[in-house]
Coordinates of all heavy atoms in Angstrom, one line a residue:
A1 N 10.2 21.2 -6.3 CA 9.2 21.4 -7.3 C 9.1 20.2 -8.3 O 10.0 19.5 -8.5 CB 9.6 22.7 -8.1
F2 N 7.9 20.0 -8.8 CA 7.6 18.9 -9.7 C 8.3 19.1 -11.0 O 8.3 20.2 -11.6 CB 6.1 18.8 -9.9 CG 5.7 17.7 -10.9 CD1 5.6 16.4 -10.4 CD2 5.6 17.9 -12.2 CE1 5.3 15.4 -11.3 CE2 5.2 16.9 -13.1 CZ 5.1 15.6 -12.6
K3 N 9.1 18.1 -11.4 CA 9.7 18.2 -12.7 C 9.2 17.0 -13.6 O 8.8 16.0 -13.1 CB 11.2 18.0 -12.5 CG 11.9 19.2 -11.9 CD 13.4 19.2 -11.9 CE 14.0 20.4 -11.3 NZ 15.2 20.1 -10.5
G4 N 9.3 17.3 -14.9 CA 8.8 16.2 -15.8 C 7.4 16.5 -16.3 O 6.8 17.5 -15.9
K5 N 6.9 15.6 -17.1 CA 5.6 15.8 -17.7 C 4.5 15.5 -16.7 O 4.5 14.5 -16.0 CB 5.5 14.8 -18.9 CG 4.4 15.2 -19.8 CD 4.5 14.3 -21.1 CE 3.2 14.1 -21.7 NZ 3.0 12.9 -22.4
P6 N 3.6 16.4 -16.5 CA 2.5 16.2 -15.5 C 1.6 15.1 -16.0 O 1.4 14.9 -17.2 CB 1.8 17.5 -15.4 CG 2.1 18.3 -16.6 CD 3.5 17.7 -17.1
P7 N 0.9 14.4 -15.1 CA 0.0 13.4 -15.5 C -1.2 14.0 -16.3 O -1.6 15.2 -16.0 CB -0.5 12.7 -14.3 CG -0.1 13.6 -13.2 CD 1.1 14.5 -13.7
E8 N -1.7 13.3 -17.3 CA -2.8 13.9 -18.1 C -4.1 14.2 -17.3 O -4.7 15.1 -17.4 CB -3.1 13.0 -19.3 CG -1.9 12.6 -20.0 CD -2.0 12.6 -21.5 OE1 -3.1 12.4 -22.0 OE2 -1.0 12.9 -22.2
K9 N -4.3 13.2 -16.4 CA -5.6 13.3 -15.6 C -5.3 12.8 -14.2 O -4.6 11.8 -14.0 CB -6.6 12.4 -16.2 CG -8.0 12.5 -15.6 CD -9.0 11.8 -16.5 CE -10.2 11.5 -15.7 NZ -10.5 10.1 -15.5
K10 N -5.8 13.6 -13.2 CA -5.5 13.2 -11.8 C -6.6 12.2 -11.4 O -7.8 12.5 -11.5 CB -5.5 14.4 -10.9 CG -4.4 15.3 -11.3 CD -4.2 16.5 -10.3 CE -3.0 17.3 -10.7 NZ -2.7 18.4 -9.8
T11 N -6.2 11.0 -10.9 CA -7.1 10.0 -10.5 C -6.8 9.5 -9.1 O -5.6 9.6 -8.7 CB -7.0 8.8 -11.5 OG1 -5.7 8.3 -11.5 CG2 -7.4 9.2 -12.9
P12 N -7.8 9.0 -8.4 CA -7.5 8.6 -7.0 C -6.6 7.3 -7.0 O -6.7 6.5 -7.9 CB -8.9 8.2 -6.5 CG -9.9 8.8 -7.5 CD -9.2 8.9 -8.8
V13 N -5.8 7.2 -6.0 CA -5.0 6.0 -5.8 C -5.9 4.9 -5.1 O -5.9 3.8 -5.5 CB -3.8 6.3 -4.9 CG1 -3.1 5.0 -4.5 CG2 -2.9 7.2 -5.6
N14 N -6.7 5.4 -4.2 CA -7.5 4.5 -3.4 C -8.9 4.3 -4.0 O -9.7 5.3 -4.1 CB -7.7 5.1 -2.0 CG -8.6 4.2 -1.1 OD1 -8.9 3.1 -1.4 ND2 -9.1 4.8 0.0
L15 N -9.2 3.1 -4.5 CA -10.5 2.9 -5.2 C -11.6 2.4 -4.2 O -12.7 2.8 -4.4 CB -10.3 1.8 -6.2 CG -9.3 2.1 -7.3 CD1 -9.2 1.0 -8.3 CD2 -9.6 3.5 -8.0
K16 N -11.2 1.7 -3.1 CA -12.3 1.2 -2.3 C -12.0 1.0 -0.8 O -12.8 0.4 -0.1 CB -12.9 -0.1 -2.9 CG -11.9 -1.1 -3.2 CD -12.6 -2.2 -4.0 CE -11.5 -3.3 -4.5 NZ -12.0 -4.2 -5.5
V17 N -10.9 1.4 -0.3 CA -10.6 1.2 1.1 C -11.2 2.3 1.9 O -10.8 3.4 1.8 CB -9.0 1.1 1.3 CG1 -8.7 1.0 2.8 CG2 -8.4 0.0 0.5
M18 N -12.1 1.9 2.8 CA -12.7 2.9 3.8 C -13.1 4.2 3.1 O -12.7 5.3 3.7 CB -11.7 3.1 4.9 CG -11.4 1.9 5.8 SD -10.0 2.0 6.9 CE -10.6 3.3 8.0
K19 N -13.8 4.1 2.0 CA -14.1 5.4 1.3 C -15.1 6.3 2.1 O -15.2 7.4 1.8 CB -14.7 5.0 0.0 CG -13.8 4.4 -1.0 CD -12.5 5.3 -1.2 CE -12.6 6.1 -2.5 NZ -11.4 6.8 -2.8
E20 N -15.7 5.7 3.1 CA -16.6 6.5 4.0 C -15.9 7.5 4.9 O -16.5 8.4 5.4 CB -17.6 5.6 4.8 CG -16.9 4.8 5.8 CD -16.2 3.5 5.3 OE1 -16.1 3.3 4.1 OE2 -15.7 2.8 6.1
T21 N -14.6 7.3 5.0 CA -13.8 8.2 5.9 C -13.1 9.3 5.1 O -12.8 9.1 3.9 CB -12.8 7.4 6.7 OG1 -11.8 6.9 5.8 CG2 -13.4 6.3 7.5
G22 N -12.8 10.4 5.7 CA -12.2 11.5 5.0 C -10.7 11.2 4.7 O -10.1 11.7 3.8
K23 N -10.1 10.4 5.5 CA -8.7 10.1 5.4 C -8.4 8.7 6.0 O -8.8 8.5 7.1 CB -7.8 11.1 6.1 CG -6.3 10.9 5.8 CD -5.5 11.8 6.7 CE -5.7 13.3 6.4 NZ -4.9 14.2 7.3
V24 N -7.8 7.8 5.2 CA -7.4 6.5 5.8 C -6.1 6.6 6.5 O -5.1 6.8 5.9 CB -7.3 5.4 4.6 CG1 -7.0 4.1 5.2 CG2 -8.6 5.4 3.8
V25 N -6.2 6.4 7.8 CA -5.0 6.4 8.6 C -5.0 5.1 9.4 O -6.0 4.7 10.0 CB -4.9 7.6 9.6 CG1 -3.7 7.5 10.5 CG2 -4.9 8.9 8.9
N26 N -3.9 4.4 9.4 CA -3.8 3.1 10.2 C -2.7 3.3 11.2 O -1.6 3.7 10.9 CB -3.4 2.0 9.3 CG -4.5 1.7 8.2 OD1 -4.3 2.1 7.0 ND2 -5.6 1.2 8.6
M27 N -3.0 3.0 12.5 CA -2.0 3.1 13.5 C -1.7 1.7 14.0 O -2.6 0.8 14.2 CB -2.7 3.8 14.7 CG -2.9 5.2 14.4 SD -1.5 6.2 14.8 CE -2.3 7.3 16.0
V28 N -0.4 1.4 14.2 CA 0.1 0.1 14.7 C 1.1 0.4 15.7 O 2.0 1.2 15.5 CB 0.7 -0.7 13.5 CG1 1.2 -2.0 14.1 CG2 -0.3 -0.9 12.4
D29 N 0.9 -0.2 16.9 CA 1.9 -0.1 17.9 C 3.2 -0.9 17.5 O 3.1 -2.1 17.2 CB 1.4 -0.7 19.3 CG 0.4 0.3 19.9 OD1 0.5 1.5 19.6 OD2 -0.4 -0.1 20.7
I30 N 4.3 -0.2 17.6 CA 5.6 -0.9 17.3 C 5.7 -2.2 18.1 O 6.2 -3.2 17.5 CB 6.7 0.1 17.5 CG1 6.7 1.2 16.4 CG2 8.1 -0.6 17.4 CD1 7.6 2.3 16.6
E31 N 5.3 -2.1 19.3 CA 5.5 -3.3 20.2 C 4.7 -4.5 19.7 O 5.0 -5.6 20.0 CB 5.1 -3.0 21.6 CG 6.1 -2.1 22.4 CD 6.1 -0.6 21.9 OE1 5.1 -0.2 21.3 OE2 7.1 0.1 22.2
D32 N 3.6 -4.2 18.9 CA 2.8 -5.3 18.4 C 3.3 -6.0 17.1 O 2.7 -6.9 16.6 CB 1.4 -4.8 18.2 CG 0.7 -4.5 19.5 OD1 1.2 -4.9 20.6 OD2 -0.3 -3.7 19.5
L33 N 4.3 -5.4 16.5 CA 4.8 -5.9 15.3 C 5.5 -7.2 15.6 O 6.2 -7.4 16.5 CB 5.8 -5.0 14.6 CG 5.3 -3.6 14.1 CD1 6.4 -2.7 13.6 CD2 4.2 -3.9 13.0
G34 N 5.3 -8.2 14.7 CA 6.0 -9.5 14.8 C 7.4 -9.4 14.3 O 8.0 -8.3 14.2
D35 N 7.9 -10.5 13.8 CA 9.3 -10.5 13.2 C 9.3 -9.9 11.8 O 10.3 -9.4 11.4 CB 9.8 -11.9 13.2 CG 10.2 -12.4 14.6 OD1 10.4 -11.6 15.5 OD2 10.2 -13.6 14.8
K36 N 8.2 -10.1 11.1 CA 8.1 -9.6 9.8 C 6.6 -9.3 9.4 O 5.8 -10.2 9.7 CB 8.7 -10.6 8.8 CG 8.9 -10.2 7.4 CD 9.5 -11.3 6.6 CE 9.5 -11.0 5.2 NZ 9.9 -12.1 4.3
V37 N 6.4 -8.2 8.8 CA 5.0 -7.9 8.4 C 5.0 -7.0 7.1 O 5.9 -6.2 6.9 CB 4.2 -7.2 9.5 CG1 4.8 -5.8 9.9 CG2 2.7 -7.0 9.1
S38 N 4.1 -7.3 6.2 CA 4.1 -6.6 4.9 C 2.8 -5.7 4.8 O 1.7 -6.2 5.0 CB 4.0 -7.6 3.7 OG 5.2 -8.4 3.8
Y39 N 3.0 -4.4 4.6 CA 2.0 -3.4 4.5 C 1.7 -3.1 3.0 O 2.7 -2.8 2.3 CB 2.2 -2.2 5.3 CG 2.1 -2.5 6.8 CD1 3.2 -2.6 7.6 CD2 0.8 -2.6 7.4 CE1 3.1 -2.9 9.0 CE2 0.7 -2.8 8.7 CZ 1.8 -3.0 9.5 OH 1.6 -3.3 10.8
C40 N 0.4 -3.0 2.7 CA 0.0 -2.7 1.3 C 0.3 -1.3 0.9 O 0.0 -0.4 1.7 CB -1.5 -3.0 1.2 SG -2.1 -2.6 -0.5
R41 N 0.9 -1.1 -0.3 CA 1.1 0.2 -0.8 C 0.3 0.4 -2.1 O 0.5 1.5 -2.8 CB 2.6 0.5 -1.0 CG 3.3 0.6 0.3 CD 4.7 1.1 0.1 NE 5.5 0.3 -0.7 CZ 6.8 0.5 -0.9 NH1 7.4 1.6 -0.4 NH2 7.5 -0.3 -1.7
C42 N -0.4 -0.6 -2.6 CA -1.1 -0.5 -3.9 C -2.6 -0.2 -3.7 O -3.3 0.1 -4.6 CB -0.9 -1.8 -4.7 SG -1.9 -3.2 -4.1
W43 N -3.0 -0.3 -2.5 CA -4.4 0.0 -2.1 C -5.4 -1.0 -2.8 O -6.6 -0.7 -2.9 CB -4.8 1.5 -2.6 CG -4.1 2.5 -1.7 CD1 -2.9 3.0 -2.0 CD2 -4.6 3.1 -0.5 NE1 -2.5 3.9 -1.0 CE2 -3.6 4.0 -0.1 CE3 -5.7 3.0 0.2 CZ2 -3.7 4.8 1.0 CZ3 -5.9 3.8 1.3 CH2 -4.8 4.6 1.7
R44 N -4.9 -2.2 -3.1 CA -5.8 -3.2 -3.7 C -6.0 -4.3 -2.8 O -6.8 -5.2 -3.1 CB -5.3 -3.7 -5.0 CG -5.0 -2.6 -6.1 CD -6.3 -1.9 -6.5 NE -6.1 -1.0 -7.6 CZ -5.6 0.2 -7.6 NH1 -5.2 0.7 -6.4 NH2 -5.6 0.9 -8.7
S45 N -5.3 -4.4 -1.6 CA -5.4 -5.5 -0.7 C -6.8 -5.6 -0.1 O -7.4 -4.6 0.4 CB -4.4 -5.4 0.4 OG -4.5 -6.5 1.3
K46 N -7.3 -6.8 0.0 CA -8.6 -7.1 0.7 C -8.3 -7.1 2.2 O -9.2 -7.2 3.0 CB -9.2 -8.4 0.2 CG -9.7 -8.2 -1.2 CD -10.4 -9.5 -1.7 CE -10.9 -9.3 -3.2 NZ -9.8 -9.1 -4.1
K47 N -7.0 -7.2 2.6 CA -6.7 -7.2 4.0 C -6.0 -5.9 4.4 O -5.3 -5.8 5.4 CB -5.8 -8.4 4.3 CG -6.5 -9.7 4.1 CD -5.7 -11.0 4.4 CE -4.2 -10.8 4.8 NZ -3.5 -12.1 4.8
F48 N -6.2 -4.8 3.7 CA -5.6 -3.5 4.0 C -5.7 -3.1 5.4 O -6.8 -3.3 6.0 CB -6.3 -2.4 3.1 CG -5.5 -1.2 3.0 CD1 -4.6 -1.0 2.0 CD2 -5.6 -0.2 3.9 CE1 -3.8 0.2 1.9 CE2 -4.9 1.0 3.9 CZ -4.0 1.1 2.8
P49 N -4.7 -2.7 6.1 CA -3.4 -2.2 5.6 C -2.4 -3.3 5.3 O -1.3 -3.0 4.9 CB -2.9 -1.2 6.6 CG -3.4 -1.8 7.9 CD -4.7 -2.4 7.6
L50 N -2.7 -4.6 5.5 CA -1.7 -5.6 5.2 C -1.8 -6.0 3.8 O -2.8 -5.9 3.1 CB -2.1 -6.9 6.1 CG -2.0 -6.7 7.6 CD1 -2.4 -7.9 8.3 CD2 -0.6 -6.3 8.0
C51 N -0.7 -6.4 3.2 CA -0.6 -6.8 1.8 C -1.1 -8.3 1.7 O -0.8 -9.1 2.6 CB 0.9 -6.8 1.4 SG 1.3 -7.7 -0.1
D52 N -2.0 -8.5 0.7 CA -2.4 -9.9 0.5 C -2.0 -10.4 -0.9 O -2.5 -11.4 -1.4 CB -4.0 -9.9 0.6 CG -4.7 -9.3 -0.5 OD1 -4.0 -8.6 -1.3 OD2 -5.9 -9.4 -0.6
G53 N -1.1 -9.7 -1.5 CA -0.6 -10.2 -2.8 C -1.3 -9.6 -4.0 O -1.0 -9.9 -5.1
S54 N -2.4 -8.8 -3.7 CA -3.2 -8.2 -4.8 C -2.4 -7.3 -5.7 O -2.8 -7.1 -6.9 CB -4.3 -7.4 -4.2 OG -5.3 -8.3 -3.6
H55 N -1.2 -6.8 -5.3 CA -0.4 -6.0 -6.1 C 0.1 -6.7 -7.4 O 0.3 -6.1 -8.4 CB 0.8 -5.4 -5.3 CG 1.7 -6.5 -4.7 ND1 1.5 -7.0 -3.4 CD2 2.7 -7.2 -5.3 CE1 2.4 -7.9 -3.2 NE2 3.1 -8.1 -4.3
N56 N 0.3 -8.0 -7.3 CA 0.7 -8.8 -8.4 C -0.3 -8.7 -9.6 O 0.1 -8.5 -10.7 CB 0.9 -10.3 -8.1 CG 2.1 -10.5 -7.1 OD1 3.2 -9.9 -7.4 ND2 1.9 -11.2 -6.0
K57 N -1.6 -8.9 -9.3 CA -2.6 -8.8 -10.3 C -2.7 -7.4 -10.8 O -2.8 -7.2 -12.0 CB -4.0 -9.2 -9.7 CG -5.1 -9.2 -10.6 CD -6.3 -10.0 -10.0 CE -7.6 -9.9 -10.9 NZ -8.4 -8.8 -10.4
H58 N -2.6 -6.4 -9.9 CA -2.7 -5.0 -10.3 C -1.5 -4.7 -11.3 O -1.7 -4.1 -12.3 CB -2.6 -4.1 -9.1 CG -2.3 -2.7 -9.4 ND1 -3.2 -1.8 -9.9 CD2 -1.1 -2.0 -9.3 CE1 -2.6 -0.6 -10.1 NE2 -1.4 -0.7 -9.8
N59 N -0.3 -5.2 -11.0 CA 0.9 -4.9 -11.8 C 0.7 -5.6 -13.2 O 1.0 -5.0 -14.2 CB 2.1 -5.4 -11.1 CG 2.6 -4.5 -10.0 OD1 2.1 -3.4 -9.8 ND2 3.4 -5.1 -9.1
E60 N 0.2 -6.8 -13.2 CA 0.0 -7.5 -14.5 C -1.0 -6.8 -15.3 O -0.8 -6.6 -16.6 CB -0.6 -8.9 -14.2 CG 0.5 -10.0 -14.0 CD -0.1 -11.3 -13.4 OE1 -1.3 -11.6 -13.8 OE2 0.6 -11.9 -12.7
E61 N -2.1 -6.3 -14.7 CA -3.2 -5.6 -15.5 C -2.8 -4.2 -16.0 O -3.3 -3.8 -17.0 CB -4.4 -5.6 -14.6 CG -5.1 -6.9 -14.4 CD -6.3 -6.8 -13.4 OE1 -6.5 -5.8 -12.8 OE2 -7.0 -7.8 -13.3
T62 N -1.9 -3.5 -15.2 CA -1.7 -2.1 -15.5 C -0.3 -1.8 -16.0 O 0.0 -0.7 -16.4 CB -2.0 -1.3 -14.3 OG1 -1.1 -1.6 -13.3 CG2 -3.4 -1.5 -13.8
G63 N 0.6 -2.7 -15.8 CA 2.0 -2.5 -16.1 C 2.7 -1.7 -15.0 O 3.8 -1.1 -15.2
D64 N 2.0 -1.6 -13.9 CA 2.6 -0.9 -12.7 C 3.7 -1.8 -12.1 O 3.9 -2.9 -12.5 CB 1.5 -0.6 -11.7 CG 1.7 0.7 -10.9 OD1 2.9 1.2 -10.9 OD2 0.7 1.2 -10.3
N65 N 4.3 -1.2 -11.1 CA 5.4 -2.0 -10.5 C 5.4 -1.9 -9.0 O 6.5 -1.8 -8.3 CB 6.8 -1.6 -11.0 CG 7.1 -0.1 -10.7 OD1 6.2 0.6 -10.3 ND2 8.4 0.3 -10.8
V66 N 4.2 -1.8 -8.4 CA 4.2 -1.5 -6.9 C 4.2 -2.8 -6.1 O 4.0 -3.9 -6.6 CB 2.8 -0.7 -6.6 CG1 2.8 0.6 -7.2 CG2 1.6 -1.5 -7.0
G67 N 4.6 -2.6 -4.9 CA 4.7 -3.7 -3.9 C 4.7 -3.2 -2.5 O 4.6 -2.0 -2.3
P68 N 4.7 -4.1 -1.6 CA 4.5 -3.8 -0.2 C 5.7 -3.1 0.5 O 6.8 -3.2 0.0 CB 4.2 -5.1 0.5 CG 5.0 -6.1 -0.3 CD 4.9 -5.6 -1.7
L69 N 5.4 -2.5 1.6 CA 6.5 -2.1 2.5 C 6.6 -3.3 3.5 O 5.7 -3.7 4.2 CB 6.0 -0.9 3.3 CG 6.9 -0.5 4.5 CD1 8.3 -0.1 4.1 CD2 6.3 0.6 5.3
V70 N 7.8 -3.9 3.6 CA 8.0 -5.0 4.5 C 8.8 -4.5 5.7 O 9.9 -4.0 5.5 CB 8.8 -6.1 3.7 CG1 9.0 -7.3 4.7 CG2 8.0 -6.6 2.5
L71 N 8.3 -4.7 6.8 CA 9.0 -4.4 8.1 C 9.5 -5.7 8.6 O 8.8 -6.6 8.8 CB 8.1 -3.7 9.1 CG 7.4 -2.4 8.7 CD1 6.6 -1.8 9.8 CD2 8.4 -1.4 8.2
K72 N 10.8 -5.7 8.9 CA 11.4 -7.0 9.3 C 12.3 -6.7 10.5 O 13.1 -5.7 10.5 CB 12.2 -7.5 8.1 CG 12.9 -8.8 8.3 CD 13.6 -9.2 7.0 CE 14.7 -10.2 7.3 NZ 15.8 -9.7 8.2
R73 N 12.2 -7.5 11.5 CA 13.1 -7.4 12.6 C 14.5 -7.9 12.3 O 14.7 -8.9 11.6 CB 12.5 -8.2 13.8 CG 13.1 -7.8 15.2 CD 12.3 -8.6 16.3 NE 10.9 -8.1 16.4 CZ 10.5 -7.0 16.9 NH1 11.4 -6.2 17.5 NH2 9.2 -6.7 16.9
R74 N 15.5 -7.1 12.7 CA 16.9 -7.5 12.5 C 17.2 -8.8 13.2 O 16.8 -8.9 14.4 CB 17.8 -6.4 13.0 CG 19.2 -6.6 12.6 CD 20.1 -5.5 13.1 NE 19.8 -4.2 12.6 CZ 19.7 -3.0 13.3 NH1 19.9 -3.1 14.5 NH2 19.4 -1.9 12.7
E75 N 17.8 -9.7 12.5 CA 18.2 -10.9 13.2 C 19.3 -10.7 14.1 O 20.3 -10.1 13.8 CB 18.6 -12.0 12.1 CG 17.3 -12.5 11.4 CD 17.7 -13.2 10.1 OE1 18.7 -13.9 10.1 OE2 16.9 -13.1 9.1
A76 N 19.1 -11.2 15.3 CA 20.1 -11.0 16.4 C 21.3 -11.8 16.2 O 21.3 -12.8 15.6 CB 19.5 -11.3 17.7
Ligands
LIG101 FE1 -1.0 -4.0 -2.0 FE2 0.6 -6.1 -1.8 S1 -1.6 -6.1 -1.9 S2 1.1 -4.1 -1.9

C-alpha cells in the first residue's frame, strides 16, 4: 500500500514520446544488445528509448534526480 504524503496533483510522466499510441512499449532482442547500452527513464530523450543525456537538463531544471538504465555485458 502507498505510504507517505500523496502527490498534490497527478501529472503525466511522458510529455511527448509517441503520444499517438495508447501505450509506449519498446521491444529489444537481447541478442541485439551490444556491450553497453543506456535506456532513457526520464522520458525526455530525443532518441527514446535510448538515453541522449537529456536527463541532465531535466534534473537541473526541476531538481529531479533521474538517470538511465544502463545494460552492460559482464567482462569476461
Ligand atoms: Fe532520459 Fe537520459 S535522456 S535518462
Side-chain angles (χ1 to χ4, degrees):
F2 179 83
K3 288 190 182 142
K5 198 172 153 209
E8 311 223 327
K9 187 169 159 244
K10 296 188 178 185
T11 56
V13 170
N14 177 18
L15 301 180
K16 54 190 174 193
V17 177
M18 295 168 64
K19 291 305 261 187
E20 66 282 3
T21 67
K23 186 191 293 182
V24 181
V25 176
N26 300 103
M27 294 269 239
V28 179
D29 284 335
I30 290 172
E31 285 75 16
D32 293 341
L33 293 175
D35 290 337
K36 189 177 171 190
V37 62
S38 300
Y39 287 103
C40 178
R41 294 193 295 184
C42 76
W43 292 86
R44 302 299 188 279
S45 175
K46 291 179 180 67
K47 295 179 359 187
F48 197 90
L50 298 175
C51 169
D52 72 350
S54 293
H55 58 265
N56 291 312
K57 183 164 172 267
H58 166 77
N59 287 344
E60 275 168 31
E61 289 175 349
T62 64
D64 211 343
N65 65 345
V66 296
L69 168 68
V70 180
L71 300 184
K72 182 178 160 301
R73 196 171 295 281
R74 188 180 296 137
E75 285 164 36

